[in-house]
Amino acid sequence: MSTPPSVLFVDHTAALGGAELYLLDYVRHREGPHQVLLFEEGPFADRLASADVPTRCLSGASAVLSFSRASGLMAALQAIPGGMRLIYQVAQAARACDVVFANSQKAFLIAAVAGTLTRTPVVWNLHDLLTADHFSSFNTRLVVAMANAFATAVVVNSEATRQSFVDAGGRQSLTRVVYNGLDAQVFEEARPANVREAQGIGDAPLVGIFSRLAPWKGQHVLLEALDTLPAVHALLVGEALFGDEVTYAQRLRDEVGQRGLSDRVHFLGFRNDIPALVNAVDVVVHTSVAPEPFGRVIAEGLLAQKPVIATRAGGAQEIIREGKTGWLVPPGDADALARAIRHVLSDPEEARRRARAGRREARERFSLGTMACALEATIHDAARTGG
Ligand code: UDP
Ligand code: GLC
């Protein structure tokens, strides 16, 4: 390939969500000139800096960052000056680049205008399902209209995400499905974390959820399932990351007390040693009650060769082949989840068979190399066709 285009990666958040971990995995291995621009400081910026990725955090964007589907007209008006400042700053940085790559919706809205002003092609990586579960119809209409008008390409993290974009009026010809790529070796080689002793779990069966604490991630469904699984312990790894998730996290902690599960449910907060923790559990559980756009945690469980139970919706159905590489249960169905956990624990031979098949497939389908090639090709095309 010719010299890699210079890329300005833009993300609105510096929290460590799945989309940010995905970008981190890509840029830390990418050759060639690039810079990451964030709209705030935080752990994502720190991780980029530790990986020697040139990174700049902008300031003064709080009104834009706090704007959400619940915000009213007043908040929208208050976000305008901050938005204009961001457009100016992104445009300044874009002038020196061949392509702008926006890794979130807010970043894309800003980048689309900045890219138009500077005639720089803009690629948008859409990580969310554009459905009513997640976004207001105004938000979806706005972002899709901007994509149709200004994006050179829209990378989507699953067929499900692609479908939601097209159903919302997005042009199918813009889309490229690129699955998250993960470092298989790290998950295969990590030594199990010493949680059993540290948490007083002993030899009890242990299931783990590795998602941020958020209502749509559905950790409450596991708590309900545990009522009928008296011997089973659970690790809840992750913390509230965004806005109103804090209330849900507190509700979960209260519910553990009310259900008498304090001895069996272990909240570990946000952790940076996920591979070691995944390797320490017997079963990986994914409980999202709204369709998951992709679901890195599902692929990570497979790479660690664990039996994985996920909810039958969205991208999860593209990662797990039911009956072959894992288990799928209806979202929000605590009884079905409890039955699946019982099945996995009572039939270890079947669990091992699916886990082995799952790892084999995941290594091929979710490799860092495949992801990097697909993203690089999209960026090259965008640089060639121009803004
Ligand atoms: N994760 C993490 N620390 C935690 C909990 C989760 O690093 O304490 C990681 C997890 O390993 C996964 C990502 O956060 O890579 C979550 O990505 P996913 O796509 O599953 O969901 P998202 O939160 O992006 O919707
Ligand atoms: C988003 C989605 C998640 C996906 C991640 C990486 O955060 O919620 O399902 O795995 O992006 O694409």
Side-chain angles (χ1 to χ4, degrees), residues 16-22 47 127-128 157 180 182 187 209-212 216-217 237-239 241-242 268-275 277-278 286 288 292-298 300:
L16 277 174
E20 289 65 45
L21 291 165
Y22 156 91
R47 293 280 289 269
H127 291 275
D128 304 304
N157 57 1
N180 278 229
L182 295 150
F187 283 90
I209 298 195
F210 301 89
S211 295
R212 62 197 154 95
W216 73 276
K217 293 292 187 181
V237 184
E239 203 37 90
L241 283 191
F242 304 108
L268 300 194
F270 186 89
R271 298 278 295 244
N272 286 318
D273 57 345
I274 295 297
L277 289 164
V278 175
H286 161 270
S288 291
E292 183 73 52
F294 175 73
R296 291 168 63 85
V297 291
I298 304 167
E300 290 168 352

mmCIF file of all heavy atoms in Angstrom, residues 16-22 47 127-128 157 180 182 187 209-212 216-217 237-239 241-242 268-275 277-278 286 288 292-298 300, ligand 1:
data_model
loop_
_atom_site.group_PDB
_atom_site.id
_atom_site.type_symbol
_atom_site.label_atom_id
_atom_site.label_comp_id
_atom_site.label_asym_id
_atom_site.label_seq_id
_atom_site.Cartn_x
_atom_site.Cartn_y
_atom_site.Cartn_z
ATOM 1 N N LEU A 16 -13.835 5.299 29.315
ATOM 2 C CA LEU A 16 -13.406 4.094 28.605
ATOM 3 C C LEU A 16 -14.588 3.175 28.309
ATOM 4 O O LEU A 16 -14.808 2.177 28.983
ATOM 5 C CB LEU A 16 -12.355 3.348 29.435
ATOM 6 C CG LEU A 16 -10.929 3.862 29.304
ATOM 7 C CD1 LEU A 16 -10.010 3.141 30.272
ATOM 8 C CD2 LEU A 16 -10.401 3.714 27.877
ATOM 9 N N GLY A 17 -15.358 3.527 27.294
ATOM 10 C CA GLY A 17 -16.419 2.640 26.812
ATOM 11 C C GLY A 17 -15.838 1.715 25.752
ATOM 12 O O GLY A 17 -14.663 1.839 25.361
ATOM 13 N N GLY A 18 -16.679 0.798 25.260
ATOM 14 C CA GLY A 18 -16.213 -0.165 24.259
ATOM 15 C C GLY A 18 -15.712 0.520 22.989
ATOM 16 O O GLY A 18 -14.712 0.100 22.398
ATOM 17 N N ALA A 19 -16.382 1.599 22.560
ATOM 18 C CA ALA A 19 -15.982 2.276 21.330
ATOM 19 C C ALA A 19 -14.587 2.879 21.485
ATOM 20 O O ALA A 19 -13.785 2.903 20.544
ATOM 21 C CB ALA A 19 -16.996 3.364 20.985
ATOM 22 N N GLU A 20 -14.288 3.348 22.688
ATOM 23 C CA GLU A 20 -12.988 3.981 22.926
ATOM 24 C C GLU A 20 -11.886 2.902 23.006
ATOM 25 O O GLU A 20 -10.787 3.091 22.484
ATOM 26 C CB GLU A 20 -13.038 4.831 24.200
ATOM 27 C CG GLU A 20 -13.866 6.104 24.052
ATOM 28 C CD GLU A 20 -15.355 5.858 23.819
ATOM 29 O OE1 GLU A 20 -15.923 4.990 24.530
ATOM 30 O OE2 GLU A 20 -15.959 6.491 22.936
ATOM 31 N N LEU A 21 -12.211 1.764 23.631
ATOM 32 C CA LEU A 21 -11.222 0.672 23.699
ATOM 33 C C LEU A 21 -10.921 0.139 22.295
ATOM 34 O O LEU A 21 -9.800 -0.246 21.973
ATOM 35 C CB LEU A 21 -11.738 -0.439 24.623
ATOM 36 C CG LEU A 21 -11.773 -0.020 26.097
ATOM 37 C CD1 LEU A 21 -12.611 -0.985 26.930
ATOM 38 C CD2 LEU A 21 -10.358 0.072 26.666
ATOM 39 N N TYR A 22 -11.948 0.143 21.451
ATOM 40 C CA TYR A 22 -11.785 -0.279 20.050
ATOM 41 C C TYR A 22 -10.819 0.664 19.326
ATOM 42 O O TYR A 22 -9.869 0.241 18.659
ATOM 43 C CB TYR A 22 -13.172 -0.285 19.423
ATOM 44 C CG TYR A 22 -13.309 -0.128 17.932
ATOM 45 C CD1 TYR A 22 -13.329 -1.252 17.098
ATOM 46 C CD2 TYR A 22 -13.486 1.130 17.348
ATOM 47 C CE1 TYR A 22 -13.510 -1.109 15.727
ATOM 48 C CE2 TYR A 22 -13.666 1.273 15.990
ATOM 49 C CZ TYR A 22 -13.671 0.154 15.177
ATOM 50 O OH TYR A 22 -13.855 0.294 13.834
ATOM 51 N N ARG A 47 -4.790 6.537 28.587
ATOM 52 C CA ARG A 47 -4.382 5.261 27.954
ATOM 53 C C ARG A 47 -3.754 5.520 26.582
ATOM 54 O O ARG A 47 -2.799 4.849 26.194
ATOM 55 C CB ARG A 47 -5.599 4.339 27.809
ATOM 56 C CG ARG A 47 -6.175 3.837 29.125
ATOM 57 C CD ARG A 47 -5.388 2.667 29.703
ATOM 58 N NE ARG A 47 -5.592 1.461 28.923
ATOM 59 C CZ ARG A 47 -6.546 0.569 29.162
ATOM 60 N NH1 ARG A 47 -7.365 0.736 30.178
ATOM 61 N NH2 ARG A 47 -6.668 -0.503 28.412
ATOM 62 N N HIS A 127 -21.211 3.250 16.355
ATOM 63 C CA HIS A 127 -21.141 2.125 17.308
ATOM 64 C C HIS A 127 -22.496 1.824 17.940
ATOM 65 O O HIS A 127 -22.583 0.935 18.771
ATOM 66 C CB HIS A 127 -20.148 2.456 18.430
ATOM 67 C CG HIS A 127 -18.722 2.501 17.979
ATOM 68 N ND1 HIS A 127 -17.919 1.382 17.881
ATOM 69 C CD2 HIS A 127 -17.940 3.535 17.597
ATOM 70 C CE1 HIS A 127 -16.716 1.727 17.456
ATOM 71 N NE2 HIS A 127 -16.704 3.033 17.281
ATOM 72 N N ASP A 128 -23.519 2.610 17.601
ATOM 73 C CA ASP A 128 -24.809 2.480 18.299
ATOM 74 C C ASP A 128 -25.909 2.036 17.358
ATOM 75 O O ASP A 128 -25.891 2.352 16.171
ATOM 76 C CB ASP A 128 -25.219 3.839 18.890
ATOM 77 C CG ASP A 128 -24.158 4.404 19.806
ATOM 78 O OD1 ASP A 128 -23.789 3.711 20.765
ATOM 79 O OD2 ASP A 128 -23.693 5.532 19.539
ATOM 80 N N ASN A 157 -20.491 -1.358 13.382
ATOM 81 C CA ASN A 157 -19.839 -2.441 14.110
ATOM 82 C C ASN A 157 -20.557 -3.792 14.007
ATOM 83 O O ASN A 157 -20.086 -4.772 14.576
ATOM 84 C CB ASN A 157 -19.608 -2.042 15.577
ATOM 85 C CG ASN A 157 -20.893 -1.658 16.280
ATOM 86 O OD1 ASN A 157 -21.974 -1.699 15.686
ATOM 87 N ND2 ASN A 157 -20.787 -1.277 17.546
ATOM 88 N N ASN A 180 -15.363 -5.413 15.707
ATOM 89 C CA ASN A 180 -14.260 -5.088 16.622
ATOM 90 C C ASN A 180 -13.199 -6.183 16.518
ATOM 91 O O ASN A 180 -13.519 -7.373 16.454
ATOM 92 C CB ASN A 180 -14.744 -5.062 18.063
ATOM 93 C CG ASN A 180 -15.423 -3.765 18.481
ATOM 94 O OD1 ASN A 180 -15.109 -3.191 19.512
ATOM 95 N ND2 ASN A 180 -16.355 -3.281 17.673
ATOM 96 N N LEU A 182 -9.945 -7.896 18.463
ATOM 97 C CA LEU A 182 -9.459 -7.991 19.850
ATOM 98 C C LEU A 182 -8.152 -8.765 19.886
ATOM 99 O O LEU A 182 -7.884 -9.585 19.009
ATOM 100 C CB LEU A 182 -10.513 -8.690 20.711
ATOM 101 C CG LEU A 182 -11.813 -7.893 20.834
ATOM 102 C CD1 LEU A 182 -13.010 -8.794 21.001
ATOM 103 C CD2 LEU A 182 -11.721 -6.906 21.977
ATOM 104 N N PHE A 187 -6.157 -12.594 25.884
ATOM 105 C CA PHE A 187 -7.226 -13.337 26.564
ATOM 106 C C PHE A 187 -6.852 -14.800 26.765
ATOM 107 O O PHE A 187 -7.258 -15.425 27.749
ATOM 108 C CB PHE A 187 -8.547 -13.205 25.791
ATOM 109 C CG PHE A 187 -9.180 -11.873 26.033
ATOM 110 C CD1 PHE A 187 -8.900 -10.796 25.215
ATOM 111 C CD2 PHE A 187 -9.995 -11.676 27.130
ATOM 112 C CE1 PHE A 187 -9.432 -9.544 25.483
ATOM 113 C CE2 PHE A 187 -10.536 -10.438 27.409
ATOM 114 C CZ PHE A 187 -10.257 -9.375 26.574
ATOM 115 N N ILE A 209 -20.158 -10.797 34.810
ATOM 116 C CA ILE A 209 -20.614 -9.806 33.818
ATOM 117 C C ILE A 209 -19.550 -8.721 33.776
ATOM 118 O O ILE A 209 -19.120 -8.232 34.820
ATOM 119 C CB ILE A 209 -21.948 -9.138 34.219
ATOM 120 C CG1 ILE A 209 -23.072 -10.162 34.304
ATOM 121 C CG2 ILE A 209 -22.333 -8.065 33.212
ATOM 122 C CD1 ILE A 209 -24.463 -9.530 34.335
ATOM 123 N N PHE A 210 -19.150 -8.333 32.554
ATOM 124 C CA PHE A 210 -18.036 -7.393 32.420
ATOM 125 C C PHE A 210 -18.482 -6.137 31.689
ATOM 126 O O PHE A 210 -17.836 -5.679 30.755
ATOM 127 C CB PHE A 210 -16.884 -8.089 31.683
ATOM 128 C CG PHE A 210 -16.425 -9.319 32.404
ATOM 129 C CD1 PHE A 210 -17.013 -10.547 32.143
ATOM 130 C CD2 PHE A 210 -15.462 -9.241 33.393
ATOM 131 C CE1 PHE A 210 -16.632 -11.684 32.842
ATOM 132 C CE2 PHE A 210 -15.070 -10.371 34.099
ATOM 133 C CZ PHE A 210 -15.664 -11.593 33.822
ATOM 134 N N SER A 211 -19.619 -5.585 32.087
ATOM 135 C CA SER A 211 -20.177 -4.432 31.374
ATOM 136 C C SER A 211 -20.340 -3.267 32.334
ATOM 137 O O SER A 211 -20.522 -3.475 33.532
ATOM 138 C CB SER A 211 -21.554 -4.773 30.823
ATOM 139 O OG SER A 211 -21.459 -5.771 29.842
ATOM 140 N N ARG A 212 -20.322 -2.053 31.765
ATOM 141 C CA ARG A 212 -20.598 -0.912 32.637
ATOM 142 C C ARG A 212 -21.990 -1.075 33.234
ATOM 143 O O ARG A 212 -22.858 -1.726 32.646
ATOM 144 C CB ARG A 212 -20.474 0.391 31.860
ATOM 145 C CG ARG A 212 -21.422 0.583 30.726
ATOM 146 C CD ARG A 212 -20.871 1.713 29.850
ATOM 147 N NE ARG A 212 -21.309 1.605 28.490
ATOM 148 C CZ ARG A 212 -22.370 2.233 27.993
ATOM 149 N NH1 ARG A 212 -23.121 3.002 28.772
ATOM 150 N NH2 ARG A 212 -22.697 2.111 26.734
ATOM 151 N N TRP A 216 -29.669 -0.470 30.459
ATOM 152 C CA TRP A 216 -29.864 -1.343 29.288
ATOM 153 C C TRP A 216 -28.882 -2.518 29.260
ATOM 154 O O TRP A 216 -29.073 -3.469 28.505
ATOM 155 C CB TRP A 216 -29.839 -0.542 27.989
ATOM 156 C CG TRP A 216 -28.510 -0.024 27.525
ATOM 157 C CD1 TRP A 216 -27.895 1.119 27.921
ATOM 158 C CD2 TRP A 216 -27.655 -0.622 26.543
ATOM 159 N NE1 TRP A 216 -26.698 1.272 27.262
ATOM 160 C CE2 TRP A 216 -26.532 0.215 26.395
ATOM 161 C CE3 TRP A 216 -27.713 -1.775 25.760
ATOM 162 C CZ2 TRP A 216 -25.484 -0.064 25.521
ATOM 163 C CZ3 TRP A 216 -26.668 -2.056 24.880
ATOM 164 C CH2 TRP A 216 -25.576 -1.209 24.763
ATOM 165 N N LYS A 217 -27.856 -2.472 30.107
ATOM 166 C CA LYS A 217 -26.937 -3.620 30.173
ATOM 167 C C LYS A 217 -27.535 -4.751 31.008
ATOM 168 O O LYS A 217 -27.046 -5.872 30.986
ATOM 169 C CB LYS A 217 -25.581 -3.205 30.734
ATOM 170 C CG LYS A 217 -24.803 -2.276 29.814
ATOM 171 C CD LYS A 217 -24.352 -2.964 28.531
ATOM 172 C CE LYS A 217 -23.431 -2.079 27.696
ATOM 173 N NZ LYS A 217 -23.016 -2.721 26.438
ATOM 174 N N VAL A 237 -18.369 -6.724 37.135
ATOM 175 C CA VAL A 237 -17.186 -5.915 36.846
ATOM 176 C C VAL A 237 -17.603 -4.760 35.949
ATOM 177 O O VAL A 237 -18.241 -4.984 34.914
ATOM 178 C CB VAL A 237 -16.106 -6.770 36.142
ATOM 179 C CG1 VAL A 237 -14.837 -5.949 35.945
ATOM 180 C CG2 VAL A 237 -15.823 -8.030 36.943
ATOM 181 N N GLY A 238 -17.260 -3.539 36.350
ATOM 182 C CA GLY A 238 -17.680 -2.366 35.577
ATOM 183 C C GLY A 238 -18.295 -1.354 36.526
ATOM 184 O O GLY A 238 -18.631 -1.681 37.665
ATOM 185 N N GLU A 239 -18.410 -0.129 36.051
ATOM 186 C CA GLU A 239 -18.979 0.940 36.875
ATOM 187 C C GLU A 239 -19.874 1.790 35.977
ATOM 188 O O GLU A 239 -19.832 1.643 34.756
ATOM 189 C CB GLU A 239 -17.817 1.775 37.460
ATOM 190 C CG GLU A 239 -18.101 2.539 38.704
ATOM 191 C CD GLU A 239 -19.015 1.816 39.697
ATOM 192 O OE1 GLU A 239 -18.534 1.079 40.577
ATOM 193 O OE2 GLU A 239 -20.229 2.033 39.581
ATOM 194 N N LEU A 241 -20.669 4.691 33.769
ATOM 195 C CA LEU A 241 -19.734 5.549 33.028
ATOM 196 C C LEU A 241 -20.357 6.887 32.630
ATOM 197 O O LEU A 241 -19.683 7.898 32.578
ATOM 198 C CB LEU A 241 -19.259 4.858 31.740
ATOM 199 C CG LEU A 241 -18.205 3.761 31.812
ATOM 200 C CD1 LEU A 241 -17.696 3.416 30.419
ATOM 201 C CD2 LEU A 241 -17.022 4.187 32.669
ATOM 202 N N PHE A 242 -21.635 6.853 32.283
ATOM 203 C CA PHE A 242 -22.237 8.063 31.719
ATOM 204 C C PHE A 242 -23.479 8.490 32.505
ATOM 205 O O PHE A 242 -24.260 7.636 32.950
ATOM 206 C CB PHE A 242 -22.633 7.836 30.253
ATOM 207 C CG PHE A 242 -21.480 7.390 29.385
ATOM 208 C CD1 PHE A 242 -21.411 6.086 28.918
ATOM 209 C CD2 PHE A 242 -20.448 8.257 29.066
ATOM 210 C CE1 PHE A 242 -20.355 5.664 28.124
ATOM 211 C CE2 PHE A 242 -19.378 7.849 28.275
ATOM 212 C CZ PHE A 242 -19.335 6.544 27.803
ATOM 213 N N LEU A 268 -16.854 -5.309 41.580
ATOM 214 C CA LEU A 268 -15.419 -5.007 41.522
ATOM 215 C C LEU A 268 -15.124 -3.618 40.972
ATOM 216 O O LEU A 268 -13.962 -3.220 40.893
ATOM 217 C CB LEU A 268 -14.690 -6.049 40.665
ATOM 218 C CG LEU A 268 -14.765 -7.509 41.126
ATOM 219 C CD1 LEU A 268 -13.738 -8.351 40.384
ATOM 220 C CD2 LEU A 268 -14.525 -7.655 42.625
ATOM 221 N N GLY A 269 -16.160 -2.880 40.550
ATOM 222 C CA GLY A 269 -15.905 -1.552 39.980
ATOM 223 C C GLY A 269 -15.246 -1.665 38.610
ATOM 224 O O GLY A 269 -15.137 -2.764 38.060
ATOM 225 N N PHE A 270 -14.811 -0.520 38.080
ATOM 226 C CA PHE A 270 -14.158 -0.535 36.759
ATOM 227 C C PHE A 270 -12.747 -1.094 36.890
ATOM 228 O O PHE A 270 -11.981 -0.689 37.759
ATOM 229 C CB PHE A 270 -14.096 0.868 36.154
ATOM 230 C CG PHE A 270 -13.567 0.835 34.743
ATOM 231 C CD1 PHE A 270 -14.438 0.666 33.678
ATOM 232 C CD2 PHE A 270 -12.205 0.911 34.493
ATOM 233 C CE1 PHE A 270 -13.959 0.581 32.367
ATOM 234 C CE2 PHE A 270 -11.711 0.825 33.185
ATOM 235 C CZ PHE A 270 -12.596 0.667 32.125
ATOM 236 N N ARG A 271 -12.370 -2.030 36.039
ATOM 237 C CA ARG A 271 -11.054 -2.673 36.138
ATOM 238 C C ARG A 271 -10.318 -2.622 34.799
ATOM 239 O O ARG A 271 -10.942 -2.615 33.737
ATOM 240 C CB ARG A 271 -11.254 -4.138 36.542
ATOM 241 C CG ARG A 271 -11.911 -4.310 37.896
ATOM 242 C CD ARG A 271 -10.924 -4.187 39.026
ATOM 243 N NE ARG A 271 -9.966 -5.254 38.991
ATOM 244 C CZ ARG A 271 -9.825 -6.189 39.938
ATOM 245 N NH1 ARG A 271 -10.582 -6.145 41.021
ATOM 246 N NH2 ARG A 271 -8.913 -7.128 39.831
ATOM 247 N N ASN A 272 -9.009 -2.590 34.891
ATOM 248 C CA ASN A 272 -8.193 -2.603 33.678
ATOM 249 C C ASN A 272 -7.583 -3.980 33.412
ATOM 250 O O ASN A 272 -6.762 -4.120 32.516
ATOM 251 C CB ASN A 272 -7.077 -1.552 33.777
ATOM 252 C CG ASN A 272 -7.643 -0.153 33.595
ATOM 253 O OD1 ASN A 272 -8.486 0.080 32.729
ATOM 254 N ND2 ASN A 272 -7.207 0.776 34.431
ATOM 255 N N ASP A 273 -7.947 -4.981 34.226
ATOM 256 C CA ASP A 273 -7.382 -6.329 34.033
ATOM 257 C C ASP A 273 -8.484 -7.328 33.633
ATOM 258 O O ASP A 273 -8.577 -8.416 34.181
ATOM 259 C CB ASP A 273 -6.667 -6.792 35.310
ATOM 260 C CG ASP A 273 -7.590 -6.777 36.531
ATOM 261 O OD1 ASP A 273 -8.672 -6.154 36.455
ATOM 262 O OD2 ASP A 273 -7.237 -7.405 37.547
ATOM 263 N N ILE A 274 -9.282 -6.924 32.637
ATOM 264 C CA ILE A 274 -10.408 -7.768 32.212
ATOM 265 C C ILE A 274 -9.961 -9.177 31.774
ATOM 266 O O ILE A 274 -10.583 -10.166 32.181
ATOM 267 C CB ILE A 274 -11.224 -7.062 31.095
ATOM 268 C CG1 ILE A 274 -11.873 -5.797 31.648
ATOM 269 C CG2 ILE A 274 -12.275 -7.991 30.498
ATOM 270 C CD1 ILE A 274 -12.880 -6.011 32.765
ATOM 271 N N PRO A 275 -8.894 -9.318 30.977
ATOM 272 C CA PRO A 275 -8.527 -10.687 30.561
ATOM 273 C C PRO A 275 -8.299 -11.614 31.755
ATOM 274 O O PRO A 275 -8.769 -12.757 31.757
ATOM 275 C CB PRO A 275 -7.243 -10.482 29.751
ATOM 276 C CG PRO A 275 -7.373 -9.084 29.213
ATOM 277 C CD PRO A 275 -8.052 -8.300 30.303
ATOM 278 N N LEU A 277 -9.591 -11.329 34.736
ATOM 279 C CA LEU A 277 -10.869 -11.553 35.429
ATOM 280 C C LEU A 277 -11.764 -12.509 34.645
ATOM 281 O O LEU A 277 -12.414 -13.384 35.215
ATOM 282 C CB LEU A 277 -11.582 -10.219 35.661
ATOM 283 C CG LEU A 277 -10.919 -9.329 36.714
ATOM 284 C CD1 LEU A 277 -11.422 -7.888 36.622
ATOM 285 C CD2 LEU A 277 -11.169 -9.883 38.114
ATOM 286 N N VAL A 278 -11.783 -12.354 33.326
ATOM 287 C CA VAL A 278 -12.602 -13.270 32.504
ATOM 288 C C VAL A 278 -12.088 -14.693 32.705
ATOM 289 O O VAL A 278 -12.863 -15.643 32.823
ATOM 290 C CB VAL A 278 -12.540 -12.886 30.999
ATOM 291 C CG1 VAL A 278 -13.280 -13.915 30.150
ATOM 292 C CG2 VAL A 278 -13.153 -11.516 30.761
ATOM 293 N N HIS A 286 -23.867 -12.145 29.456
ATOM 294 C CA HIS A 286 -24.184 -10.831 28.885
ATOM 295 C C HIS A 286 -25.691 -10.700 28.976
ATOM 296 O O HIS A 286 -26.424 -11.602 28.549
ATOM 297 C CB HIS A 286 -23.707 -10.797 27.433
ATOM 298 C CG HIS A 286 -24.328 -9.720 26.590
ATOM 299 N ND1 HIS A 286 -25.493 -9.894 25.875
ATOM 300 C CD2 HIS A 286 -23.941 -8.450 26.352
ATOM 301 C CE1 HIS A 286 -25.792 -8.786 25.234
ATOM 302 N NE2 HIS A 286 -24.871 -7.893 25.496
ATOM 303 N N SER A 288 -27.782 -7.704 28.283
ATOM 304 C CA SER A 288 -28.400 -6.461 27.782
ATOM 305 C C SER A 288 -29.885 -6.666 27.473
ATOM 306 O O SER A 288 -30.263 -7.630 26.803
ATOM 307 C CB SER A 288 -27.671 -5.961 26.536
ATOM 308 O OG SER A 288 -26.386 -5.524 26.904
ATOM 309 N N GLU A 292 -27.907 -5.233 21.703
ATOM 310 C CA GLU A 292 -26.504 -4.790 21.814
ATOM 311 C C GLU A 292 -25.991 -4.509 20.398
ATOM 312 O O GLU A 292 -26.106 -5.362 19.512
ATOM 313 C CB GLU A 292 -25.696 -5.948 22.447
ATOM 314 C CG GLU A 292 -24.251 -5.655 22.708
ATOM 315 C CD GLU A 292 -24.050 -4.709 23.883
ATOM 316 O OE1 GLU A 292 -24.576 -4.959 24.967
ATOM 317 O OE2 GLU A 292 -23.351 -3.700 23.676
ATOM 318 N N PRO A 293 -25.396 -3.350 20.160
ATOM 319 C CA PRO A 293 -24.897 -3.074 18.800
ATOM 320 C C PRO A 293 -23.856 -4.097 18.345
ATOM 321 O O PRO A 293 -23.940 -4.635 17.246
ATOM 322 C CB PRO A 293 -24.283 -1.678 18.936
ATOM 323 C CG PRO A 293 -25.004 -1.056 20.102
ATOM 324 C CD PRO A 293 -25.305 -2.170 21.047
ATOM 325 N N PHE A 294 -22.858 -4.351 19.186
ATOM 326 C CA PHE A 294 -21.895 -5.429 18.912
ATOM 327 C C PHE A 294 -21.756 -6.245 20.192
ATOM 328 O O PHE A 294 -22.337 -7.293 20.328
ATOM 329 C CB PHE A 294 -20.550 -4.861 18.421
ATOM 330 C CG PHE A 294 -19.504 -5.924 18.238
ATOM 331 C CD1 PHE A 294 -19.571 -6.808 17.171
ATOM 332 C CD2 PHE A 294 -18.443 -6.070 19.150
ATOM 333 C CE1 PHE A 294 -18.607 -7.826 17.021
ATOM 334 C CE2 PHE A 294 -17.486 -7.070 18.997
ATOM 335 C CZ PHE A 294 -17.567 -7.937 17.932
ATOM 336 N N GLY A 295 -20.943 -5.774 21.143
ATOM 337 C CA GLY A 295 -20.785 -6.497 22.407
ATOM 338 C C GLY A 295 -19.406 -7.118 22.512
ATOM 339 O O GLY A 295 -19.231 -8.335 22.381
ATOM 340 N N ARG A 296 -18.414 -6.260 22.787
ATOM 341 C CA ARG A 296 -17.037 -6.758 22.910
ATOM 342 C C ARG A 296 -16.944 -7.837 23.977
ATOM 343 O O ARG A 296 -16.205 -8.811 23.835
ATOM 344 C CB ARG A 296 -16.106 -5.594 23.313
ATOM 345 C CG ARG A 296 -15.906 -4.566 22.249
ATOM 346 C CD ARG A 296 -15.230 -3.330 22.820
ATOM 347 N NE ARG A 296 -13.880 -3.587 23.334
ATOM 348 C CZ ARG A 296 -12.786 -3.579 22.593
ATOM 349 N NH1 ARG A 296 -12.866 -3.325 21.311
ATOM 350 N NH2 ARG A 296 -11.594 -3.786 23.140
ATOM 351 N N VAL A 297 -17.693 -7.651 25.066
ATOM 352 C CA VAL A 297 -17.560 -8.589 26.191
ATOM 353 C C VAL A 297 -17.927 -10.017 25.787
ATOM 354 O O VAL A 297 -17.399 -10.972 26.354
ATOM 355 C CB VAL A 297 -18.417 -8.144 27.399
ATOM 356 C CG1 VAL A 297 -17.850 -6.881 28.015
ATOM 357 C CG2 VAL A 297 -19.861 -7.943 27.008
ATOM 358 N N ILE A 298 -18.804 -10.141 24.809
ATOM 359 C CA ILE A 298 -19.197 -11.479 24.350
ATOM 360 C C ILE A 298 -18.012 -12.119 23.614
ATOM 361 O O ILE A 298 -17.615 -13.260 23.887
ATOM 362 C CB ILE A 298 -20.434 -11.388 23.417
ATOM 363 C CG1 ILE A 298 -21.572 -10.667 24.131
ATOM 364 C CG2 ILE A 298 -20.854 -12.763 22.934
ATOM 365 C CD1 ILE A 298 -22.710 -10.249 23.209
ATOM 366 N N GLU A 300 -14.929 -11.307 23.919
ATOM 367 C CA GLU A 300 -13.822 -11.508 24.865
ATOM 368 C C GLU A 300 -13.999 -12.831 25.633
ATOM 369 O O GLU A 300 -13.044 -13.561 25.873
ATOM 370 C CB GLU A 300 -13.732 -10.324 25.830
ATOM 371 C CG GLU A 300 -13.247 -9.055 25.127
ATOM 372 C CD GLU A 300 -13.405 -7.764 25.934
ATOM 373 O OE1 GLU A 300 -14.036 -7.791 27.013
ATOM 374 O OE2 GLU A 300 -12.903 -6.726 25.473
HETATM 375 N N1 UDP B 1 -14.454 -3.185 30.424
HETATM 376 C C1 UDP B 1 -13.327 -2.741 31.098
HETATM 377 N N2 UDP B 1 -13.386 -2.623 32.462
HETATM 378 C C2 UDP B 1 -14.514 -2.892 33.161
HETATM 379 C C3 UDP B 1 -15.683 -3.328 32.472
HETATM 380 C C4 UDP B 1 -15.600 -3.456 31.088
HETATM 381 O O1 UDP B 1 -12.276 -2.482 30.504
HETATM 382 O O2 UDP B 1 -14.481 -2.777 34.379
HETATM 383 C C5 UDP B 1 -14.384 -3.322 28.961
HETATM 384 C C6 UDP B 1 -14.783 -4.685 28.422
HETATM 385 O O3 UDP B 1 -13.717 -5.594 28.561
HETATM 386 C C7 UDP B 1 -15.130 -4.353 26.981
HETATM 387 C C8 UDP B 1 -15.666 -2.933 27.100
HETATM 388 O O4 UDP B 1 -15.307 -2.438 28.373
HETATM 389 O O5 UDP B 1 -13.981 -4.379 26.162
HETATM 390 C C9 UDP B 1 -17.159 -2.846 26.946
HETATM 391 O O6 UDP B 1 -17.466 -2.963 25.618
HETATM 392 P P1 UDP B 1 -18.837 -3.525 25.071
HETATM 393 O O7 UDP B 1 -18.747 -3.444 23.606
HETATM 394 O O8 UDP B 1 -19.133 -4.865 25.627
HETATM 395 O O9 UDP B 1 -19.968 -2.554 25.655
HETATM 396 P P2 UDP B 1 -20.120 -0.940 25.697
HETATM 397 O O10 UDP B 1 -19.903 -0.558 27.122
HETATM 398 O O11 UDP B 1 -19.155 -0.366 24.762
HETATM 399 O O12 UDP B 1 -21.533 -0.705 25.270
#
